[in-house]
Every structure is written in structure tokens, then in C-alpha cells.
Amino acid sequence: MRTIAVVGGGIAGWEAARGARRSDPGARVVLLNEEPHPLYSACVLADYISGEIERSRVFLRALEDYKKEGIDYRPHTAVVDWSPDERLLILQGGELHYDALVLATGSIPWIPPLPGAQRPGVQTLKTLADADGLRGVPVGRIVVVGGGPIGIEAAVALRRSGWEVHLVELLPRLLPRLFDEPLSILLKERLEACGIEVVLGERVLEVFGAEAVEGIRTEKRVLKADRVLFVIGMRPEVSLARRGGLELGPSGGILVDDRMMTTRKDVWACGDCVESRDLLTGRRGLFMLWNNARLQGRVAGTNAGGGSRRFPGSLNITTIQIFGEAAASVGQTAAELEREGGTLLYKPIYGGGMGLVLKAGKLVGVQVVGPTERVGGALSLLLRRGDLSNLIQRSSISGRVVPGLWPLRGMEKTLRDLLLRG
């Protein structure tokens, strides 16, 4: 009996284990997870923090589901070393020989080496344990450092929970890699209207306090706080890959081909730990999004089981919920394409705004900010208009919108098809 080992219990690891089981029904599939929980959604941790959902609804699978799938699931099991030549994983308290291996080790949050950054009261938001830590303390004042998607959703969730929230971003505007300036300004206005103080263009210099956190100091001000949440980026977790001598790409992720195979035979990798190809531009990089990890895991597991599947490429689709409103971004920004003649067609709609990004007359990006039910409808309208050239020539967006026709989560395939169609 072949043994297929999967390291990592997130969505990429789960899909890899299921893919391996389906591809080789006679194999022994072992899924190793450092965390003690079954699969849960990191995408809803903000909803859990705000109290919108109960803790039980964070989980996507129960322990019984692994048994039903024929997967030998081992939670709370860390891989401490790896001998690729012997096809051997060294575990805490044991070892595991394998015939095929899938690495789905994910990513780790980064806390900058600032004075005081290790004080009690400083944390990140990556795991369920991190979210539990924010749910389990009295509300007070908190500084969220990082104006990316996770930082914004965390700030919103904490504000809904009653925290006094300051959001500090080093760059001069929010989400510049996802939204062009008109949409980014709308996001800032939404956050401030809901009581979140947004501080842009300032670097955090230190976290101060006698013992626990008492606040942070930037280049221009002091902000008092009971807790500090750093959400300034994730790094691929490649420590095991390094020990196994796998080649890494320029971005720091594990180098894989379109079958998710690494540079070592019988070893595949998927999810946040890998470098992949952008579906639209062809550029390689890190694309740490749920749907990319899900699809990569399915491909890696299928191929580890002896099948033959290929990953078409990663697509950067981001949605953010903000107090009954939403922001969605897919594809490239005009700012990113400034030297290549990128153009933004922007129009205020529904109290928010929509932007279409064009390059050489081809649609390469869509950005929307507005009421949640209208964002899905606006994208629905765009997707249902067969002749995009007419839309581009008029530089306007009009027509009847069917609210809620396309839910924000779940329209990845349709948007992918739209952008590829151009």
C-alpha cells in the first residue's frame, strides 16, 4: 500500500488529501496538522471576532468527515525534520515513511523587529487561536497596524465589538495594490464614518509600555492602546522545504510547475507556501488567496495520487465587508499599469463607485465599492453585458441591476472567465 503524506491542515492540505484519496483509492493518505482543530475558514475569523457568528460556524469540517473521506487525520502533529532521500518525515514523538509527499505548510504572519513588539498584548491575526485571544479579553483601545484586507476587516470587526480602533498604514492610501485612488478614498471614508481613525503614511517606531502594551509611537504621533494587532503581511512557511533542499522562487515561495510538482521527485506543494503564475499577466509571485489554495491543493493531491491535472494560474480576487457595504477587486490596477498605458474608467454608482481597468482596450481589472447587495449586482450587470466594447466606448455604467444575483463569495469562476475573455 502506498502512503501519501500531506503536511498542513488548511484548505490546501484538505483538498490535497481528498484529491489523493480520489486519485488513488487504495493508498493510505495521512494528513498532518500542527493545529489541534479540523479544517476551519480563516476568511470568517473577523465575523467571529465581531460576534456575528458563533465559534462553531468557523469550522468547515468535523473530525468524522476525515474518517468518511478515508483520511488518516493527525491534528496537533508537527513535522520537526525531513529526510527526502529516505522519504521520511520526523514527527514529534514518531516518524512517517511516505511514497509521495504534498507540502501545504501555508504562511506565517510577520511582526517587525520593533522595540516592544514582543510585549504582552501584541499579536497577529492568522489562526483561530489568534481570534480566540481577541474574543476573550475586555474591549478597550486597540491599534491595528496594516491597511490590507485582513487589517481592514479586523478593524471593522473590532469596532463592531465595541473597541476604540486606530488603523495605521505605512503607505499613503489603503490597499494600493488592489484599488486605484478613487476607490481607495471611498474605503477610507467608509471606515472613518463608522468610527475608525485611519492614519496613513506613518511608520510605527515602537510599542511602548511598562510591562504590557500601553500604546505605539509613529513618526508623528503617540496612540494609546491596550492591544496592538500587526497584520502587515504573510510570509510563505518554507522552513521544511529548505531542510529538504527544495528550490525557492524569487518571491520566497516554493518553486512548482503547473502540476504543482516541486524540484524534487514525488514531492508536490500547494497553497500559501508556493510561488505560482498569475493567470492574467503570466508573472510569478505569491498569491495567498483561499480559492487559489483550494484549486492548487486539488491539483497537487490528484497528481501525488498518480493522476494528471494542471493548475491554470492564480487570480487575485479580493472581497472585503465594511459595515453593510462591500469592496471587491479582481485583476490589475491602473496604477500598476501606468507605464504600460493602463486606464481607469471610474463612475460613482449607488453611493459608492465602480472602476474598470483597461490595457490596450482589453478589460484587465474590476473594482467596486458600495452597499453589499449592490456590489454583487453591479458585477452581475457587467458580466451579463456581452459586448464590453460598447461599455468601454461610452465610459459609463448603467442599466438595471438585480441586487444579490451574484454573492460576493463564490463568483471567482465567472470573474476569471470575464477577464480571460477580455
Side-chain angles (χ1 to χ4, degrees), residues 30-96:
V30 182
L31 177 56
L32 308 171
N33 186 12
E34 282 193 16
E35 292 195 63
H37 312 292
L39 178 67
Y40 61 86
S41 172
C43 300
V44 300
L45 291 181
D47 295 333
Y48 166 54
I49 291 170
S50 69
E52 291 182 75
I53 64 173
E54 297 296 326
R55 192 175 189 273
S56 60
R57 291 182 57 196
V58 174
F59 293 97
L60 300 175
R61 294 291 182 270
L63 292 175
E64 309 86 72
D65 294 325
Y66 295 85
K67 294 179 182 179
K68 291 177 183 177
E69 292 284 347
I71 297 169
D72 179 1
Y73 180 54
R74 303 187 188 181
H76 220 299
T77 303
V79 179
V80 297
D81 207 352
W82 174 27
S83 177
D85 293 336
E86 300 178 79
R87 299 193 180 190
L88 178 67
L89 296 174
I90 310 300
L91 313 177
Q92 287 179 334
E95 59 185 33
L96 176 67

Side-chain angles (χ1 to χ4, degrees), residues 226-421:
D226 305 299
R227 297 182 80 85
V228 176
L229 180 65
F230 279 99
V231 278
I232 56 177
M234 301 289 176
R235 294 182 173 181
E237 173 51 277
V238 294
S239 55
L240 191 63
R242 289 182 185 277
R243 286 199 289 273
L246 298 185
E247 186 175 344
L248 306 182
S251 65
I254 301 171
L255 195 64
V256 293
D257 61 16
D258 61 358
R259 299 181 66 248
M260 308 312 296
M261 178 174 280
T262 70
T263 50
R264 186 176 285 275
K265 184 181 178 182
D266 294 326
V267 179
W268 290 259
C270 54
D272 287 1
C273 63
V274 306
E275 176 181 292
S276 61
R277 183 182 61 84
D278 187 293
L279 186 64
L280 298 177
T281 68
R283 292 195 295 261
R284 299 190 65 84
L286 301 173
F287 306 102
M288 299 179 179
L289 294 172
W290 178 272
N291 196 51
N292 293 331
R294 181 177 64 85
L295 295 175
Q296 289 171 0
R298 196 171 297 170
V299 171
T302 299
N303 293 334
S308 181
R309 293 190 66 169
R310 297 183 183 276
F311 179 63
S314 295
L315 189 60
N316 187 17
I317 301 175
T318 303
T319 60
I320 305 170
Q321 302 286 342
I322 308 173
F323 297 102
E325 294 193 295
S329 170
V330 57
Q332 297 174 278
T333 65
E336 177 186 356
L337 299 171
E338 184 176 3
R339 294 185 178 180
E340 303 172 44
T343 303
L344 176 70
L345 302 182
Y346 174 77
K347 182 178 180 63
I349 55 171
Y350 317 129
M354 172 179 272
L356 305 180
V357 181
L358 308 177
K359 178 183 175 183
K362 179 181 179 182
L363 182 69
V364 295
V366 180
Q367 304 161 30
V368 190
V369 175
T372 300
E373 70 276 8
R374 292 292 193 178
V375 168
L379 289 174
S380 166
L381 171 66
L382 179 61
L383 299 176
R384 289 187 289 112
R385 301 187 75 108
D387 185 3
L388 286 177
S389 62
N390 181 48
L391 178 68
I392 291 168
Q393 289 170 8
R394 291 194 335 227
S395 301
S396 65
I397 302 164
S398 61
R400 188 173 68 86
V401 172
V402 181
L405 183 60
W406 292 95
L408 283 178
R409 293 193 175 101
M411 57 185 166
E412 286 89 349
K413 183 180 186 300
T414 310
L415 286 170
R416 181 191 301 263
D417 293 343
L418 168 70
L419 292 175
L420 286 177
R421 195 168 66 231

Side-chain angles (χ1 to χ4, degrees), residues 164-227:
E164 179 184 322
V165 182
H166 302 270
L167 178 63
V168 180
E169 167 58 47
L170 173 63
L171 298 175
R173 59 188 178 89
L174 297 172
L175 298 169
R177 296 181 181 87
L178 297 175
F179 293 93
D180 285 294
E181 187 170 5
L183 287 302
S184 184
I185 291 173
L186 287 178
L187 286 171
K188 180 175 181 291
E189 292 173 349
R190 263 52 177 181
L191 294 173
E192 291 176 332
C194 296
I196 297 172
E197 181 181 350
V198 180
V199 178
L200 300 176
E202 295 187 27
R203 184 186 303 274
V204 176
L205 301 179
E206 69 166 323
V207 180
F208 66 85
E211 294 183 2
V213 168
E214 295 179 16
I216 62 111
R217 181 173 289 105
T218 75
E219 299 161 308
K220 299 180 181 179
R221 73 190 73 205
V222 170
L223 295 173
K224 293 184 178 181
D226 305 299
R227 297 182 80 85

